[in-house]
Amino acid sequence: MALVLQKEDVLKVDIGVHVRGRILDSAFTLTFEPTYDNLLEAVKAATNAGIQVFILGPLVAQSCSSHHASML
C-alpha cells in the first residue's frame, strides 16, 4: 500500500541509530504548503540555540572552572 502525500500534509522523518556505543539521531520535516513555514523556522532556530548551548556550555563551564568561578 502506497501513501500519497497531499499538499496540506506534513512529513516528519526521524531516524536514530545505536551501533557499538555510538548514537546518531537525525530528523527533518517537509511541507508543501507555506502555512507551516513560521513554525518550521521557529523550530530550526530553537534547535540551533540548543546546539549552541550544548557546544558552548561546557566551554563556559571549563572557563569558569579555570578561573575558580561557579556557574549558577
Side-chain angles (χ1 to χ4, degrees):
M1 180 174 105
L3 177 66
V4 178
L5 296 175
Q6 303 301 310
K7 183 179 178 184
E8 63 277 357
D9 287 339
V10 176
L11 174 66
K12 174 72 175 177
V13 177
D14 193 334
I15 300 170
V17 178
H18 183 192
V19 177
R20 287 185 245 156
R22 301 199 185 261
I23 299 172
L24 171 74
D25 183 58
S26 184
F28 68 90
T29 303
L30 180 64
T31 65
F32 303 101
E33 180 160 335
T35 303
Y36 302 104
D37 286 354
N38 289 340
L39 176 62
L40 293 178
E41 285 301 318
V43 169
K44 183 188 251 183
T47 299
N48 288 336
I51 290 170
Q52 291 288 330
V53 169
F54 181 76
I55 292 171
L56 295 177
L59 295 175
V60 171
Q62 182 181 24
S63 177
C64 287
S65 176
S66 68
H67 290 88
H68 305 291
S70 64
M71 296 183 65
L72 299 175

